[in-house]
Amino acid sequence: DDDEMLQLYHNYLSQKLIFPFKAEHGAEYGHPERVKVIGLGDLDEEPMIDGMHGILCEARLEGQVVTLPLDELGDAQGKPNRQLIEDYSYWFHNW
């Protein structure tokens, strides 16, 4: 089941990513912006998984908290964060 796999990956990333961290969003649309990723949300309170966009994250952009697809982030700061997000993005687009 796709949702179950995403929940398992969400749990894994929640434990491994180091928050907060800065990343780039919007490069694929031609206007990259720096965001501060603050978390993946809590699966028990608010599902941060979307069937079309995969795992979602909460980030600060221009002083507001926004929800973004995790696989759309690039240039994540922090040694484990960059590789974890790149690996997730590859997995999400190729499963």
Side-chain angles (χ1 to χ4, degrees):
D1 180 74
D2 294 346
D3 287 338
E4 186 176 330
M5 289 301 297
L6 282 170
Q7 287 180 1
L8 290 171
Y9 217 131
H10 179 283
N11 292 341
Y12 173 77
L13 291 174
S14 292
Q15 295 172 12
K16 300 293 183 184
L17 289 170
I18 299 170
F19 298 100
F21 64 90
K22 292 184 181 177
E24 186 177 89
H25 179 263
E28 65 274 13
Y29 306 116
H31 59 283
E33 299 177 291
R34 295 300 289 174
V35 298
K36 181 187 255 184
V37 181
I38 55 177
L40 297 182
D42 185 345
L43 282 177
D44 295 329
E45 292 181 19
E46 180 179 337
M48 295 295 287
I49 294 175
D50 177 83
M52 178 180 263
H53 299 288
I55 297 172
L56 305 175
C57 67
E58 295 174 324
R60 291 201 179 278
L61 174 65
E62 298 176 2
Q64 295 185 334
V65 176
V66 295
T67 302
L68 303 171
L70 190 64
D71 75 303
E72 290 183 7
L73 298 180
D75 194 28
Q77 292 183 342
K79 186 159 181 115
N81 294 344
R82 182 183 309 248
Q83 189 64 53
L84 288 166
I85 292 173
E86 286 176 4
D87 290 348
Y88 164 72
S89 184
Y90 178 84
W91 173 82
F92 181 70
H93 290 285
N94 293 288
W95 64 333

Coordinates of all heavy atoms in Angstrom, one line a residue:
D1 N 0.8 -1.2 0.0 CA 0.0 0.0 0.0 C 0.9 1.2 0.0 O 1.8 1.4 0.8 CB -0.9 -0.1 1.2 CG -1.8 1.1 1.3 OD1 -2.8 1.2 0.5 OD2 -1.5 2.0 2.2
D2 N 0.6 2.2 -0.9 CA 1.4 3.4 -1.1 C 1.4 4.2 0.2 O 2.5 4.7 0.6 CB 0.9 4.2 -2.3 CG 1.2 3.4 -3.6 OD1 1.9 2.4 -3.6 OD2 0.6 3.8 -4.6
D3 N 0.2 4.4 0.8 CA 0.2 5.3 1.9 C 1.0 4.7 3.1 O 1.6 5.4 3.8 CB -1.3 5.5 2.4 CG -2.0 6.4 1.4 OD1 -1.4 7.2 0.7 OD2 -3.3 6.4 1.4
E4 N 1.0 3.4 3.2 CA 1.7 2.7 4.3 C 3.2 2.9 4.1 O 3.9 3.2 5.0 CB 1.4 1.3 4.4 CG 2.0 0.6 5.5 CD 1.6 -0.9 5.6 OE1 0.5 -1.2 5.2 OE2 2.4 -1.7 6.1
M5 N 3.7 2.8 2.9 CA 5.1 3.0 2.6 C 5.5 4.5 2.9 O 6.6 4.7 3.4 CB 5.4 2.7 1.1 CG 5.4 1.2 0.8 SD 6.6 0.2 1.8 CE 8.1 0.9 1.3
L6 N 4.6 5.4 2.5 CA 4.9 6.8 2.8 C 5.0 7.1 4.3 O 5.8 7.9 4.7 CB 3.9 7.7 2.1 CG 4.1 8.0 0.6 CD1 2.9 8.7 0.0 CD2 5.4 8.8 0.3
Q7 N 4.1 6.5 5.0 CA 4.1 6.6 6.5 C 5.4 6.1 7.1 O 6.0 6.7 8.0 CB 2.9 6.0 7.1 CG 1.6 6.8 6.8 CD 0.4 6.1 7.5 OE1 0.4 5.1 8.1 NE2 -0.8 6.7 7.2
L8 N 5.8 4.9 6.6 CA 7.1 4.4 7.1 C 8.2 5.3 6.8 O 9.1 5.5 7.6 CB 7.3 3.0 6.5 CG 6.4 1.9 7.0 CD1 6.6 0.6 6.1 CD2 6.6 1.6 8.4
Y9 N 8.3 5.8 5.6 CA 9.4 6.8 5.2 C 9.3 8.0 6.0 O 10.3 8.6 6.4 CB 9.3 7.1 3.7 CG 10.7 7.2 3.0 CD1 11.0 6.5 1.9 CD2 11.7 8.0 3.6 CE1 12.2 6.6 1.3 CE2 12.9 8.1 3.0 CZ 13.2 7.4 1.9 OH 14.4 7.5 1.3
H10 N 8.0 8.5 6.2 CA 7.8 9.7 7.1 C 8.4 9.5 8.5 O 9.1 10.3 9.0 CB 6.3 10.0 7.1 CG 6.0 11.2 8.0 ND1 6.0 11.2 9.4 CD2 5.7 12.5 7.6 CE1 5.7 12.4 9.8 NE2 5.5 13.2 8.8
N11 N 8.1 8.3 9.0 CA 8.6 8.0 10.4 C 10.1 8.0 10.4 O 10.8 8.5 11.3 CB 8.1 6.7 10.9 CG 6.6 6.7 11.2 OD1 6.0 7.8 11.3 ND2 5.9 5.6 11.2
Y12 N 10.7 7.4 9.4 CA 12.2 7.3 9.3 C 12.8 8.7 9.2 O 13.7 9.0 9.9 CB 12.5 6.4 8.0 CG 14.0 6.4 7.7 CD1 14.9 5.7 8.5 CD2 14.5 7.2 6.7 CE1 16.3 5.7 8.2 CE2 15.9 7.2 6.4 CZ 16.7 6.4 7.1 OH 18.1 6.4 6.8
L13 N 12.3 9.5 8.3 CA 12.8 10.9 8.1 C 12.6 11.7 9.3 O 13.5 12.5 9.7 CB 12.2 11.5 6.9 CG 12.6 10.9 5.5 CD1 11.8 11.6 4.4 CD2 14.1 11.1 5.3
S14 N 11.5 11.5 10.0 CA 11.2 12.3 11.2 C 12.3 12.1 12.3 O 12.7 13.0 13.1 CB 9.9 12.0 11.8 OG 8.8 12.4 11.0
Q15 N 12.8 10.8 12.3 CA 13.9 10.5 13.3 C 15.3 10.9 12.8 O 16.1 11.2 13.6 CB 13.9 9.0 13.5 CG 12.6 8.5 14.2 CD 12.5 7.0 14.2 OE1 13.5 6.3 14.0 NE2 11.4 6.4 14.5
K16 N 15.5 11.0 11.5 CA 16.8 11.2 11.0 C 17.2 12.6 10.6 O 18.3 13.1 10.7 CB 17.1 10.3 9.8 CG 17.0 8.8 10.0 CD 18.1 8.4 10.9 CE 18.0 6.9 11.2 NZ 19.0 6.4 12.1
L17 N 16.2 13.4 10.1 CA 16.4 14.8 9.7 C 16.7 15.6 11.0 O 16.1 15.4 12.0 CB 15.2 15.3 8.9 CG 15.0 14.8 7.5 CD1 13.7 15.3 6.9 CD2 16.2 15.2 6.6
I18 N 17.5 16.6 10.8 CA 17.8 17.5 11.9 C 17.2 18.9 11.6 O 17.5 19.5 10.6 CB 19.3 17.7 12.1 CG1 20.0 16.3 12.4 CG2 19.6 18.7 13.2 CD1 21.5 16.3 12.3
F19 N 16.2 19.2 12.4 CA 15.4 20.5 12.2 C 15.8 21.5 13.2 O 16.3 21.2 14.3 CB 13.9 20.2 12.4 CG 13.3 19.2 11.5 CD1 13.1 17.9 11.8 CD2 13.0 19.6 10.2 CE1 12.6 17.0 11.0 CE2 12.4 18.7 9.3 CZ 12.2 17.4 9.7
P20 N 15.7 22.8 12.8 CA 15.3 23.3 11.5 C 16.6 23.3 10.6 O 17.7 23.2 11.1 CB 14.9 24.8 11.8 CG 15.7 25.1 13.0 CD 15.9 23.9 13.8
F21 N 16.3 23.4 9.3 CA 17.4 23.5 8.3 C 16.9 24.4 7.2 O 15.7 24.5 6.9 CB 17.9 22.2 7.9 CG 16.9 21.3 7.1 CD1 16.7 21.4 5.7 CD2 16.1 20.4 7.8 CE1 15.8 20.6 5.1 CE2 15.2 19.6 7.1 CZ 15.0 19.7 5.8
K22 N 17.8 25.0 6.5 CA 17.5 25.8 5.4 C 17.6 25.0 4.1 O 18.4 24.1 4.0 CB 18.4 27.0 5.3 CG 18.2 28.0 6.4 CD 19.0 29.2 6.3 CE 18.7 30.1 7.5 NZ 19.5 31.3 7.5
A23 N 16.8 25.3 3.1 CA 16.8 24.6 1.8 C 16.2 25.6 0.8 O 15.8 26.7 1.1 CB 15.9 23.4 1.9
E24 N 16.3 25.2 -0.4 CA 15.8 25.9 -1.6 C 14.5 25.3 -2.1 O 14.4 24.1 -2.2 CB 16.9 25.9 -2.7 CG 16.6 26.8 -3.8 CD 17.7 26.8 -4.8 OE1 17.7 25.9 -5.7 OE2 18.6 27.6 -4.7
H25 N 13.6 26.2 -2.4 CA 12.3 25.7 -3.0 C 12.0 26.5 -4.2 O 12.2 27.7 -4.2 CB 11.2 25.8 -2.0 CG 9.9 25.3 -2.6 ND1 8.9 26.2 -3.1 CD2 9.4 24.1 -2.8 CE1 7.9 25.6 -3.5 NE2 8.1 24.3 -3.3
G26 N 11.4 25.9 -5.2 CA 10.9 26.7 -6.4 C 11.9 26.7 -7.6 O 11.6 27.4 -8.6
A27 N 13.1 26.1 -7.5 CA 14.0 26.1 -8.5 C 13.4 25.6 -9.8 O 13.7 26.1 -10.9 CB 15.3 25.4 -8.2
E28 N 12.6 24.5 -9.7 CA 12.0 23.9 -10.9 C 11.0 24.9 -11.6 O 10.6 24.6 -12.7 CB 11.3 22.6 -10.6 CG 10.1 22.7 -9.6 CD 10.5 22.7 -8.2 OE1 11.7 22.8 -7.8 OE2 9.6 22.5 -7.3
Y29 N 10.6 25.9 -10.9 CA 9.7 26.9 -11.5 C 10.4 28.2 -11.9 O 9.8 29.1 -12.4 CB 8.6 27.3 -10.5 CG 7.9 26.1 -9.9 CD1 7.9 25.7 -8.6 CD2 7.1 25.2 -10.7 CE1 7.3 24.6 -8.0 CE2 6.5 24.1 -10.2 CZ 6.6 23.8 -8.9 OH 5.9 22.7 -8.4
G30 N 11.7 28.2 -11.8 CA 12.5 29.3 -12.2 C 12.7 30.4 -11.2 O 13.3 31.5 -11.6
H31 N 12.2 30.3 -10.0 CA 12.3 31.4 -9.0 C 12.6 30.7 -7.6 O 11.8 30.7 -6.8 CB 11.1 32.3 -9.0 CG 9.8 31.6 -8.7 ND1 9.2 30.9 -9.6 CD2 9.1 31.5 -7.5 CE1 8.1 30.4 -9.0 NE2 8.0 30.7 -7.8
P32 N 13.9 30.2 -7.5 CA 14.2 29.6 -6.2 C 14.1 30.6 -5.0 O 14.5 31.7 -5.1 CB 15.6 29.1 -6.4 CG 16.2 29.9 -7.5 CD 15.0 30.3 -8.4
E33 N 13.6 30.1 -3.9 CA 13.5 30.9 -2.7 C 14.1 30.0 -1.5 O 13.9 28.8 -1.5 CB 12.1 31.2 -2.3 CG 11.4 32.1 -3.4 CD 10.0 32.4 -3.1 OE1 9.2 31.4 -3.1 OE2 9.7 33.5 -2.8
R34 N 14.8 30.7 -0.6 CA 15.3 30.0 0.6 C 14.2 29.9 1.6 O 13.4 30.8 1.8 CB 16.5 30.8 1.2 CG 17.7 30.9 0.3 CD 18.3 29.5 -0.1 NE 19.0 28.8 1.0 CZ 19.5 27.6 0.9 NH1 19.4 27.0 -0.2 NH2 20.0 27.0 1.9
V35 N 14.0 28.7 2.1 CA 13.0 28.4 3.2 C 13.7 27.8 4.4 O 14.8 27.3 4.3 CB 11.9 27.5 2.7 CG1 11.1 28.1 1.5 CG2 12.4 26.1 2.3
K36 N 13.1 27.9 5.5 CA 13.6 27.2 6.7 C 12.6 26.2 7.1 O 11.5 26.4 7.4 CB 13.7 28.2 7.9 CG 14.2 27.5 9.2 CD 14.2 28.5 10.4 CE 15.6 29.0 10.7 NZ 15.6 29.8 11.9
V37 N 13.0 24.9 6.9 CA 12.2 23.8 7.1 C 12.1 23.5 8.6 O 13.2 23.4 9.3 CB 12.7 22.5 6.4 CG1 11.8 21.3 6.6 CG2 12.8 22.8 4.9
I38 N 10.9 23.5 9.2 CA 10.8 23.4 10.6 C 10.2 22.0 11.1 O 10.2 21.7 12.3 CB 9.9 24.5 11.2 CG1 8.6 24.6 10.5 CG2 10.7 25.8 11.1 CD1 7.6 25.6 11.1
G39 N 9.7 21.2 10.2 CA 9.3 19.9 10.6 C 8.5 19.2 9.5 O 8.1 19.7 8.5
L40 N 8.1 17.9 9.8 CA 7.3 17.1 8.9 C 5.9 17.0 9.4 O 5.1 16.3 8.8 CB 7.9 15.7 8.7 CG 9.3 15.6 8.1 CD1 9.7 14.2 7.9 CD2 9.3 16.3 6.8
G41 N 5.6 17.6 10.6 CA 4.3 17.4 11.2 C 4.1 16.1 11.9 O 5.0 15.3 11.8
D42 N 3.1 15.9 12.6 CA 2.8 14.7 13.4 C 1.7 13.9 12.7 O 0.6 14.4 12.5 CB 2.4 15.1 14.8 CG 2.2 14.0 15.7 OD1 2.1 12.8 15.2 OD2 2.2 14.2 16.9
L43 N 2.0 12.7 12.3 CA 1.0 11.8 11.6 C -0.2 11.6 12.4 O -1.3 11.5 11.9 CB 1.7 10.5 11.3 CG 2.6 10.4 10.1 CD1 3.2 9.0 10.0 CD2 1.9 10.8 8.8
D44 N -0.1 11.6 13.7 CA -1.3 11.4 14.6 C -2.2 12.7 14.6 O -3.4 12.5 14.8 CB -0.9 11.0 16.0 CG -0.2 9.7 16.0 OD1 -0.5 8.8 15.2 OD2 0.7 9.5 16.9
E45 N -1.6 13.8 14.5 CA -2.4 15.1 14.6 C -2.9 15.6 13.2 O -4.0 15.9 13.0 CB -1.6 16.1 15.3 CG -1.4 15.8 16.8 CD -0.7 16.9 17.5 OE1 -0.6 18.0 17.0 OE2 -0.1 16.6 18.6
E46 N -2.0 15.7 12.3 CA -2.3 16.3 11.0 C -1.5 15.5 10.0 O -0.2 15.6 9.9 CB -1.9 17.8 10.9 CG -2.2 18.4 9.6 CD -1.9 19.9 9.5 OE1 -1.8 20.5 10.6 OE2 -1.7 20.3 8.4
P47 N -2.1 14.7 9.1 CA -1.4 14.0 8.1 C -0.5 14.9 7.2 O -1.1 15.8 6.7 CB -2.4 13.2 7.3 CG -3.7 13.3 8.1 CD -3.5 14.5 9.0
M48 N 0.7 14.6 7.1 CA 1.6 15.4 6.3 C 2.0 14.5 5.1 O 3.2 14.6 4.6 CB 2.8 15.9 7.1 CG 2.5 16.8 8.2 SD 1.9 18.4 7.6 CE 3.3 19.2 6.9
I49 N 1.1 13.8 4.6 CA 1.3 12.9 3.4 C 0.2 13.2 2.4 O -1.0 13.2 2.8 CB 1.3 11.4 3.8 CG1 2.5 11.1 4.7 CG2 1.3 10.5 2.6 CD1 2.6 9.8 5.3
D50 N 0.6 13.3 1.2 CA -0.4 13.5 0.1 C -0.1 12.5 -1.0 O 1.0 12.3 -1.3 CB -0.2 15.0 -0.4 CG -1.1 15.3 -1.5 OD1 -2.3 15.7 -1.3 OD2 -0.7 15.2 -2.7
G51 N -1.2 11.9 -1.5 CA -1.0 10.9 -2.5 C -0.3 11.3 -3.7 O 0.4 10.6 -4.3
M52 N -0.5 12.6 -4.1 CA 0.2 13.1 -5.3 C 1.6 13.7 -5.1 O 2.5 13.5 -5.9 CB -0.7 14.2 -6.0 CG -0.1 14.8 -7.2 SD -1.1 16.1 -7.9 CE -1.9 15.1 -9.2
H53 N 1.7 14.3 -3.9 CA 3.0 15.0 -3.6 C 3.9 14.3 -2.6 O 5.0 14.8 -2.3 CB 2.7 16.4 -3.1 CG 2.0 17.3 -4.1 ND1 2.6 17.7 -5.3 CD2 0.7 17.7 -4.2 CE1 1.7 18.4 -6.0 NE2 0.5 18.4 -5.4
G54 N 3.4 13.2 -2.0 CA 4.2 12.5 -1.1 C 4.3 13.1 0.3 O 3.3 13.7 0.8
I55 N 5.4 13.1 0.9 CA 5.6 13.6 2.2 C 5.7 15.1 2.1 O 6.4 15.7 1.3 CB 6.9 13.1 2.9 CG1 6.7 11.5 3.1 CG2 7.2 13.8 4.2 CD1 8.0 10.8 3.6
L56 N 5.0 15.8 3.0 CA 4.9 17.3 3.0 C 5.7 17.7 4.3 O 5.8 17.0 5.3 CB 3.5 17.8 3.1 CG 2.6 17.3 2.0 CD1 1.2 17.8 2.3 CD2 3.0 17.7 0.7
C57 N 6.3 18.9 4.2 CA 7.0 19.5 5.3 C 6.4 20.9 5.6 O 5.8 21.5 4.7 CB 8.5 19.6 5.0 SG 9.0 20.8 3.7
E58 N 6.7 21.3 6.8 CA 6.3 22.7 7.2 C 7.6 23.6 7.1 O 8.7 23.1 7.6 CB 5.8 22.7 8.6 CG 4.5 22.0 8.7 CD 4.0 21.9 10.1 OE1 4.8 21.7 11.1 OE2 2.8 21.9 10.4
A59 N 7.4 24.7 6.5 CA 8.6 25.6 6.4 C 8.2 27.1 6.6 O 7.0 27.4 6.4 CB 9.2 25.4 5.0
R60 N 9.1 27.9 6.9 CA 8.9 29.3 7.0 C 9.4 30.0 5.7 O 10.5 29.7 5.3 CB 9.7 29.9 8.2 CG 9.1 29.5 9.5 CD 9.5 30.5 10.6 NE 9.0 30.0 11.9 CZ 7.7 30.3 12.3 NH1 6.9 31.0 11.5 NH2 7.3 29.9 13.4
L61 N 8.5 30.7 5.1 CA 8.8 31.5 3.9 C 8.2 32.9 4.1 O 7.0 33.0 4.3 CB 8.2 30.8 2.7 CG 8.3 31.5 1.4 CD1 9.7 31.6 0.9 CD2 7.5 30.7 0.3
E62 N 9.1 33.8 4.0 CA 8.7 35.2 4.2 C 7.9 35.5 5.4 O 6.8 36.1 5.4 CB 8.0 35.7 2.9 CG 8.9 35.6 1.7 CD 8.1 36.0 0.4 OE1 6.9 36.4 0.5 OE2 8.8 36.0 -0.7
G63 N 8.2 34.8 6.5 CA 7.6 35.0 7.8 C 6.3 34.2 8.0 O 5.7 34.3 9.1
Q64 N 5.9 33.4 7.1 CA 4.7 32.6 7.2 C 5.1 31.1 7.2 O 6.0 30.7 6.5 CB 3.7 32.9 6.1 CG 3.2 34.3 6.1 CD 2.1 34.5 5.0 OE1 2.1 33.8 4.0 NE2 1.2 35.4 5.3
V65 N 4.3 30.3 7.9 CA 4.5 28.9 7.8 C 3.7 28.3 6.6 O 2.5 28.6 6.5 CB 4.0 28.2 9.1 CG1 4.1 26.7 9.0 CG2 4.8 28.7 10.3
V66 N 4.4 27.6 5.7 CA 3.8 27.1 4.5 C 4.0 25.6 4.5 O 4.9 25.0 5.2 CB 4.3 27.7 3.2 CG1 4.0 29.2 3.2 CG2 5.8 27.5 3.2
T67 N 3.2 24.8 3.7 CA 3.4 23.4 3.6 C 3.9 23.2 2.2 O 3.3 23.6 1.2 CB 2.0 22.7 3.8 OG1 1.5 23.0 5.1 CG2 2.1 21.2 3.6
L68 N 5.0 22.4 2.1 CA 5.6 22.2 0.8 C 5.9 20.7 0.6 O 6.2 20.0 1.6 CB 7.0 22.9 0.7 CG 7.0 24.4 0.9 CD1 8.4 24.9 1.1 CD2 6.2 25.1 -0.2
P69 N 5.9 20.2 -0.6 CA 6.4 18.8 -0.8 C 7.8 18.6 -0.5 O 8.7 19.4 -1.0 CB 6.1 18.6 -2.3 CG 5.1 19.6 -2.7 CD 5.4 20.8 -1.8
L70 N 8.2 17.7 0.2 CA 9.6 17.4 0.6 C 10.5 17.2 -0.6 O 11.6 17.7 -0.6 CB 9.7 16.3 1.6 CG 11.0 16.1 2.3 CD1 11.4 17.2 3.2 CD2 11.0 14.8 3.1
D71 N 10.0 16.5 -1.6 CA 10.8 16.2 -2.8 C 11.1 17.4 -3.6 O 11.9 17.3 -4.5 CB 10.2 15.1 -3.6 CG 9.0 15.5 -4.4 OD1 8.0 16.0 -3.8 OD2 9.0 15.3 -5.6
E72 N 10.4 18.5 -3.4 CA 10.7 19.7 -4.2 C 11.8 20.6 -3.5 O 12.1 21.7 -4.1 CB 9.4 20.6 -4.3 CG 8.4 19.9 -5.2 CD 7.2 20.8 -5.5 OE1 7.1 21.9 -5.0 OE2 6.2 20.2 -6.1
L73 N 12.3 20.2 -2.4 CA 13.4 20.9 -1.8 C 14.7 20.6 -2.4 O 15.0 19.4 -2.8 CB 13.5 20.6 -0.3 CG 12.2 21.0 0.6 CD1 12.5 20.6 2.0 CD2 11.9 22.4 0.4
G74 N 15.6 21.6 -2.5 CA 16.9 21.4 -3.0 C 17.9 22.1 -2.1 O 17.6 22.9 -1.3
D75 N 19.2 21.7 -2.3 CA 20.3 22.4 -1.5 C 20.0 22.5 0.0 O 20.2 23.5 0.6 CB 20.5 23.8 -2.1 CG 21.8 24.4 -1.7 OD1 22.7 23.6 -1.4 OD2 21.9 25.6 -1.6
A76 N 19.5 21.4 0.5 CA 19.3 21.3 2.0 C 20.6 21.4 2.8 O 21.6 20.8 2.4 CB 18.5 20.1 2.4
Q77 N 20.6 22.2 3.8 CA 21.8 22.4 4.6 C 21.9 21.3 5.7 O 20.8 20.9 6.2 CB 21.8 23.8 5.3 CG 22.0 24.9 4.3 CD 22.1 26.3 4.9 OE1 21.7 26.4 6.1 NE2 22.6 27.2 4.2
G78 N 23.1 20.9 6.0 CA 23.3 19.9 7.0 C 23.7 18.6 6.4 O 23.1 18.2 5.4
K79 N 24.7 18.0 6.9 CA 25.3 16.8 6.3 C 24.2 15.7 6.2 O 24.1 15.2 5.0 CB 26.4 16.3 7.2 CG 27.1 15.1 6.5 CD 28.5 15.0 7.0 CE 29.2 13.8 6.3 NZ 30.3 14.2 5.5
P80 N 23.5 15.3 7.2 CA 22.5 14.2 6.9 C 21.3 14.6 6.1 O 20.8 13.9 5.3 CB 22.1 13.7 8.3 CG 22.3 14.9 9.2 CD 23.4 15.6 8.6
N81 N 20.9 15.9 6.2 CA 19.7 16.4 5.6 C 19.7 16.3 4.1 O 18.8 15.8 3.5 CB 19.3 17.8 6.1 CG 19.0 17.8 7.5 OD1 18.7 16.8 8.2 ND2 19.1 19.0 8.1
R82 N 20.8 16.8 3.5 CA 20.9 16.8 2.1 C 20.8 15.4 1.5 O 20.0 15.2 0.6 CB 22.2 17.5 1.6 CG 22.4 17.6 0.1 CD 23.7 18.2 -0.2 NE 24.0 19.4 0.5 CZ 24.1 20.6 0.0 NH1 23.9 20.7 -1.3 NH2 24.3 21.6 0.7
Q83 N 21.5 14.5 2.0 CA 21.5 13.1 1.4 C 20.2 12.5 1.7 O 19.6 11.8 0.8 CB 22.6 12.3 2.0 CG 22.8 11.0 1.3 CD 23.2 11.1 -0.1 OE1 24.2 11.8 -0.4 NE2 22.5 10.5 -1.0
L84 N 19.6 12.6 2.9 CA 18.3 12.0 3.2 C 17.2 12.5 2.2 O 16.4 11.7 1.7 CB 17.9 12.3 4.6 CG 18.7 11.5 5.7 CD1 18.5 12.2 7.1 CD2 18.3 10.1 5.7
I85 N 17.2 13.8 1.9 CA 16.2 14.4 1.0 C 16.4 13.9 -0.4 O 15.5 13.6 -1.1 CB 16.1 15.9 1.2 CG1 15.5 16.2 2.6 CG2 15.2 16.5 0.1 CD1 15.5 17.7 2.9
E86 N 17.7 13.9 -0.8 CA 18.0 13.4 -2.2 C 17.6 12.0 -2.3 O 17.0 11.6 -3.3 CB 19.5 13.6 -2.5 CG 19.8 15.0 -2.7 CD 21.3 15.2 -2.9 OE1 22.1 14.2 -3.0 OE2 21.8 16.4 -3.0
D87 N 17.8 11.1 -1.3 CA 17.5 9.7 -1.4 C 15.9 9.6 -1.4 O 15.4 8.8 -2.2 CB 18.0 9.0 -0.2 CG 19.5 8.8 -0.2 OD1 20.1 9.1 -1.3 OD2 20.1 8.4 0.8
Y88 N 15.2 10.3 -0.6 CA 13.8 10.3 -0.6 C 13.2 10.7 -1.9 O 12.3 10.0 -2.5 CB 13.2 11.1 0.6 CG 11.7 11.4 0.3 CD1 10.8 10.3 0.5 CD2 11.3 12.6 -0.2 CE1 9.5 10.5 0.2 CE2 9.9 12.8 -0.4 CZ 9.0 11.8 -0.2 OH 7.7 12.0 -0.5
S89 N 13.7 11.8 -2.5 CA 13.2 12.3 -3.7 C 13.4 11.2 -4.8 O 12.5 11.0 -5.6 CB 13.9 13.6 -4.1 OG 13.4 14.1 -5.3
Y90 N 14.6 10.6 -4.9 CA 14.8 9.6 -5.9 C 13.8 8.4 -5.7 O 13.2 7.9 -6.6 CB 16.3 9.0 -5.7 CG 16.6 7.9 -6.7 CD1 16.9 8.2 -8.0 CD2 16.5 6.6 -6.3 CE1 17.2 7.2 -8.9 CE2 16.7 5.6 -7.2 CZ 17.1 5.9 -8.5 OH 17.3 4.9 -9.4
W91 N 13.7 8.0 -4.4 CA 12.8 6.9 -4.1 C 11.3 7.2 -4.5 O 10.6 6.5 -5.2 CB 12.8 6.5 -2.6 CG 11.8 5.5 -2.2 CD1 11.8 4.2 -2.4 CD2 10.5 5.8 -1.7 NE1 10.7 3.6 -1.9 CE2 9.8 4.6 -1.4 CE3 9.9 7.0 -1.3 CZ2 8.6 4.5 -0.9 CZ3 8.6 6.9 -0.7 CH2 8.0 5.7 -0.5
F92 N 10.9 8.4 -4.2 CA 9.5 8.8 -4.5 C 9.2 8.9 -6.0 O 8.1 8.5 -6.4 CB 9.2 10.2 -3.8 CG 7.9 10.7 -4.0 CD1 6.8 10.1 -3.4 CD2 7.6 11.8 -4.9 CE1 5.5 10.5 -3.6 CE2 6.3 12.2 -5.0 CZ 5.2 11.6 -4.4
H93 N 10.2 9.3 -6.7 CA 9.9 9.4 -8.2 C 10.2 8.1 -9.0 O 9.8 8.0 -10.1 CB 10.8 10.5 -8.8 CG 10.3 11.9 -8.4 ND1 9.2 12.5 -8.9 CD2 10.8 12.7 -7.4 CE1 9.0 13.6 -8.3 NE2 10.0 13.8 -7.4
N94 N 10.7 7.1 -8.3 CA 11.0 5.9 -9.0 C 10.3 4.6 -8.4 O 10.6 3.5 -8.8 CB 12.5 5.6 -9.0 CG 13.2 6.7 -9.8 OD1 13.1 6.6 -11.0 ND2 13.9 7.6 -9.2
W95 N 9.5 4.8 -7.4 CA 8.8 3.6 -6.8 C 7.7 3.2 -7.6 O 7.1 2.5 -7.9 CB 8.4 3.9 -5.4 CG 7.3 5.0 -5.3 CD1 7.1 6.0 -6.1 CD2 6.3 5.1 -4.2 NE1 6.1 6.8 -5.7 CE2 5.6 6.3 -4.5 CE3 6.0 4.5 -3.1 CZ2 4.5 6.7 -3.8 CZ3 5.0 4.9 -2.3 CH2 4.3 6.0 -2.7

